[in-house]
Amino acid sequence: MTWYAALGAVEQGLVYGIMVIGVYLTFRILDFPDLTVDGSLPLGAAVSAVAISSGVNPYLSLLLALGGGFCAGMVTAFLNTKFKILHLLASILTMIALYSINIRIMDGPNVALLGSDTVFDAVTRLGVPSHFAGLVVFGLFAALVVGGMVWFMGTEIGQAVLATGDNPQMITSQGVNIHVVIIFGVGLSNGLVALSGALIAQNQGAADVGMGLGTIVAGLASVIIGETVFGCQTMARAFIAALLGSIVYRLAIALALGLELGGFRFNPSDLNLITALLVIVALITPNLKRRLLAR
Amino acid sequence: MIRLEHIVKYFHKGSVNEVFALNDITLRLAEGDFVTVIGSNGAGKSTLLNCIAGSFFPDSGKIFIGAGDVTRWPEYRRAALISRVFQNPLLGTCPSATIEQNMALAALRGQKRGLGRGVKGSDRERFRTELRQLGLGLEDRLLDKVGLLSGGQRQALTMLMATMVKPEVLLLDEHIAALDPKTAGHILSLTEEIVASRGLTTMMITHNMKHAISFGNRLLMLHQGRVLLDLCGSDKKTLTVKDLLEQFYLAQGEELAMDSLLLG
């Protein structure tokens, strides 16, 4: 793997890491498997791209994207809590609806950001070389999100979110309306996913309706790799592990795609196979380790 | 104070599985009453407690807790007035949160939660003092996750958490049934101590007739969703297990084939 490819993988790991933090919140903390993310990532990208091309400040466009994702997550959680639709099904419904909505927002399958000012231009103007701008911006946002989430989970409300996923009967008996918590939590998660999508769009210079494909798979893979490699004993550690898991995942993918065995090479279309294998390895490693140690 | 007026509850109404769970229950508990509730399986004991807690709404009838009518209040809203300890020791605490986090959650029962720290430094000394009463050494393990504790330790912690904010009524649903005899005895004496020292209005379901007689100042026997017996004061003090069984047969007018269930 070249130095340049590794840099790109770390960059991707950081920006998708924001999405992974969102997935961690639903999948692990709230115990709410949420497929909305495949729709809310391009939603964030679409909202941000359209906002920027109509003259909105790029930072403000990130906030708009976050709000859009939050609403999408709220719809899923609302369907689940108020109408008792199974969480997986509710999230699939929102996800497919978002496909059409995203095309409506962009008035087409994609929007280019050629020549528009993005959050990266502000950094390059400070003298950062342009091939490092992504790293700096993504790193800052990822650190901000991780720090924010660690702080939030330590608050009274954050603790109620934790308890809702852990023991809904207990936290109900403590006077918390778990429907409100789930709607808020799934909203927050999708807000982060949309933020991640918006940053990707500004970096690539385009938003595309198909860019969300496989988001949930990458998210889950990163969460599981992070837990296996870095552990999740405390809340801070768990979130940092999720972010690092995302970086490891992107590095592993880049490594696999760069691999050459005799005449054999992986194609980009083998990505799903590689992801599945990575997750399987991450899932069985702790088990294998235990068995070997027990001997 | 808690008052039930003509509570009726069916499950699966209109289907072949229809169960007439609560049949016109009217009941009034005075402040500080400690009521033990007995009855065979399916008599409606847990249904009655769940109905008071708001796990579901009654089909008809009214529920008053404290001064107000709470009949249509959802469970989380009634939690401001009610504390519960369940039969399953795993239901009362959060396994992946620490002991101090669990206690902090309970310390805010029924109150608004904001963006302040979940566990404040000033809370810790208070938590330690409270945990010391349990005599289980948990006061030195504030940062341990509750999932590491045994069922008995978790149930003791739940008992303590249930009374961190004084409830209008404490509901104990066979809270010692899943524990070994020694631990059960410990939790039971802890229950008596806490209820007495804080003067809590309490309802305790038990399958053990001896416990039902020796604890509390009032005894309810339920059968098929109705209150079969309601004894208090001296009537209850002089009661024996034999009396209780006789009363049961008398009221029933039939031989009960499942003595073993009642005797536990």
Side-chain angles (χ1 to χ4, degrees), chain A residues 150-152 154-160 162-163 166-167 169-178 232-234, chain B residues 75-76 79 84 86 90-96 101-102 105-106 108-110 113-118 120 145 161:
Chain A
V150 172
W151 167 80
F152 172 70
T155 63
E156 289 167 3
I157 296 177
Q159 300 272 290
L162 189 73
D166 213 18
N167 189 342
Q169 175 63 65
M170 180 270 189
I171 197 65
T172 304
S173 307
Q174 302 301 341
V176 172
N177 183 351
I178 58 168
C232 51
Q233 282 78 357
T234 64
Chain B
E75 187 178 3
Y76 69 86
R84 298 172 85 180
F86 301 93
L90 307 183
L91 277 183
T93 45
C94 278
S96 66
Q101 285 172 335
N102 270 281
L105 284 169
L108 286 176
R109 183 170 53 77
R113 287 159 210 265
L115 290 175
R117 291 281 82 194
K120 294 167 196 70
K145 288 194 173 165
M161 282 163 51

Side-chain angles (χ1 to χ4, degrees), chain A residues 213-215 217-218 221 249 253 257 266-280:
Chain A
L213 204 72
T215 303
V217 179
Y249 169 73
I253 295 278
L257 288 179
F266 282 113
N267 286 327
S269 62
D270 295 327
L271 203 75
N272 284 2
L273 175 66
I274 299 168
T275 302
L277 290 176
L278 271 176
V279 174
I280 291 170

Side-chain angles (χ1 to χ4, degrees), chain B residues 164-177:
Chain B
M164 290 184 74
V165 177
K166 191 183 171 186
E168 285 282 332
V169 57
L170 173 63
L171 302 177
L172 308 171
D173 188 351
E174 283 188 62
H175 68 309
I176 58 165

Side-chain angles (χ1 to χ4, degrees), chain B residues 4-216:
Chain B
L4 308 181
E5 282 177 4
H6 305 291
I7 296 292
V8 173
K9 178 68 192 178
Y10 287 91
F11 288 117
H12 314 294
K13 194 168 184 176
S15 78
V16 284
N17 296 323
E18 183 176 294
V19 178
F20 195 5
L22 297 176
N23 179 356
D24 192 22
I25 291 202
T26 296
L27 193 65
R28 189 178 178 286
L29 268 62
E31 181 91 43
D33 262 355
F34 184 172
V35 184
T36 55
V37 184
I38 54 171
S40 51
N41 287 334
K45 308 181 298 294
S46 291
T47 310
L48 178 65
L49 257 59
N50 287 337
C51 186
I52 295 172
S55 306
F56 49 78
F57 293 142
D59 294 336
S60 64
K62 284 201 175 307
I63 303 170
F64 298 86
I65 301 175
D69 179 351
V70 300
T71 314
R72 303 309 293 179
W73 285 23
E75 187 178 3
Y76 69 86
R77 195 168 161 210
R78 282 190 219 182
L81 308 171
I82 295 173
S83 272
R84 298 172 85 180
V85 182
F86 301 93
Q87 177 176 3
N88 180 352
L90 307 183
L91 277 183
T93 45
C94 278
S96 66
T98 61
I99 292 180
E100 62 174 21
Q101 285 172 335
N102 270 281
M103 294 183 80
L105 284 169
L108 286 176
R109 183 170 53 77
Q111 290 164 43
K112 262 209 137 41
R113 287 159 210 265
L115 290 175
R117 291 281 82 194
V119 183
K120 294 167 196 70
S122 54
D123 289 338
R124 294 208 172 92
E125 213 27 63
R126 179 181 155 217
F127 292 170
R128 276 201 197 92
T129 320
E130 301 224 15
L131 284 168
R132 226 164 262 135
Q133 328 169 23
L134 298 181
L136 294 172
L138 295 182
E139 61 273 17
D140 302 321
R141 301 176 61 185
L142 281 184
L143 292 175
D144 277 6
K145 288 194 173 165
V146 166
L148 298 170
L149 306 184
S150 70
Q153 286 171 325
R154 282 180 76 162
Q155 203 66 328
L157 180 61
T158 310
M159 263 317 294
L160 197 65
M161 282 163 51
T163 53
M164 290 184 74
V165 177
K166 191 183 171 186
E168 285 282 332
V169 57
L170 173 63
L171 302 177
L172 308 171
D173 188 351
E174 283 188 62
H175 68 309
I176 58 165
L179 307 174
D180 66 75
K182 186 165 166 273
T183 316
H186 180 78
I187 302 288
L188 204 56
S189 53
L190 182 74
T191 306
E192 200 175 26
E193 203 179 295
I194 289 178
V195 168
S197 69
R198 310 191 188 184
L200 298 173
T201 311
T202 305
M203 292 182 85
M204 177 172 92
I205 296 180
T206 175
H207 269 306
N208 186 317
M209 287 208 177
K210 284 198 203 90
H211 291 161
I213 292 169
S214 58
F215 288 89

Side-chain angles (χ1 to χ4, degrees), chain A:
Chain A
M1 187 164 48
T2 61
W3 163 240
Y4 191 74
L7 192 73
V10 172
E11 204 175 78
Q12 280 209 318
L14 285 170
V15 69
Y16 281 102
I18 297 171
M19 172 274 289
V20 173
I21 300 291
V23 170
Y24 188 86
L25 175 61
T26 44
F27 184 61
R28 280 295 190 232
I29 296 179
L30 280 174
D31 198 16
F32 187 112
D34 176 28
L35 307 187
T36 317
V37 293
D38 274 31
S40 50
L41 187 109
L43 172 68
V47 169
S48 178
V50 169
I52 289 176
S53 45
S54 40
V56 174
N57 175 295
Y59 290 97
L60 187 62
S61 83
L62 292 179
L63 267 185
L64 293 176
L66 199 135
F70 198 98
C71 293
M74 277 173 61
V75 170
T76 297
F78 197 80
L79 290 175
N80 169 250
T81 54
K82 300 298 177 195
F83 301 112
K84 309 283 171 233
I85 299 175
L86 181 72
H87 38 35
L88 277 173
L89 183 57
S91 65
I92 290 173
L93 291 172
T94 315
M95 179 187 78
I96 59 161
L98 280 172
Y99 183 84
S100 306
I101 292 171
N102 289 339
I103 292 178
R104 279 278 171 195
I105 291 174
M106 295 187 286
D107 200 16
N110 48 46
V111 169
L113 281 173
L114 292 172
S116 309
D117 221 20
T118 67
V119 290
F120 300 93
D121 296 316
V123 179
T124 42
R125 247 179 263 126
L126 288 174
V128 177
S130 62
H131 58 280
F132 278 120
L135 206 62
V136 170
V137 172
F138 294 155
L140 273 177
F141 273 97
L144 211 65
V145 167
V146 168
M149 284 306 292
V150 172
W151 167 80
F152 172 70
M153 291 309 294
T155 63
E156 289 167 3
I157 296 177
Q159 300 272 290
V161 173
L162 189 73
T164 299
D166 213 18
N167 189 342
Q169 175 63 65
M170 180 270 189
I171 197 65
T172 304
S173 307
Q174 302 301 341
V176 172
N177 183 351
I178 58 168
H179 289 182
V180 171
V181 174
I182 292 171
I183 290 169
F184 171 78
V186 178
L188 180 61
S189 161
N190 281 283
L192 293 177
V193 175
L195 175 65
S196 164
L199 285 169
I200 294 166
Q202 292 195 22
N203 189 233
Q204 293 177 344
D208 186 281
V209 72
M211 69 192 279
L213 204 72
T215 303
I216 186 64
V217 179
L220 292 180
S222 306
V223 165
I224 290 162
I225 291 170
E227 278 178 345
T228 308
V229 179
F230 304 103
C232 51
Q233 282 78 357
T234 64
M235 208 73 273
R237 185 154 174 184
F239 279 120
I240 294 169
L243 182 64
L244 294 180
S246 171
I247 296 173
V248 171
Y249 169 73
R250 297 290 160 180
L251 280 172
I253 295 278
L255 208 62
L257 288 179
L259 204 65
E260 238 175 298
L261 289 171
F264 177 79
R265 290 197 63 151
F266 282 113
N267 286 327
S269 62
D270 295 327
L271 203 75
N272 284 2
L273 175 66
I274 299 168
T275 302
L277 290 176
L278 271 176
V279 174
I280 291 170
V281 169
L283 280 175
I284 64 176
T285 309
N287 203 338
L288 279 182
K289 222 161 55 182
R290 228 175 298 127
R291 272 198 226 172
L292 287 175
L293 286 177
R295 266 187 202 162

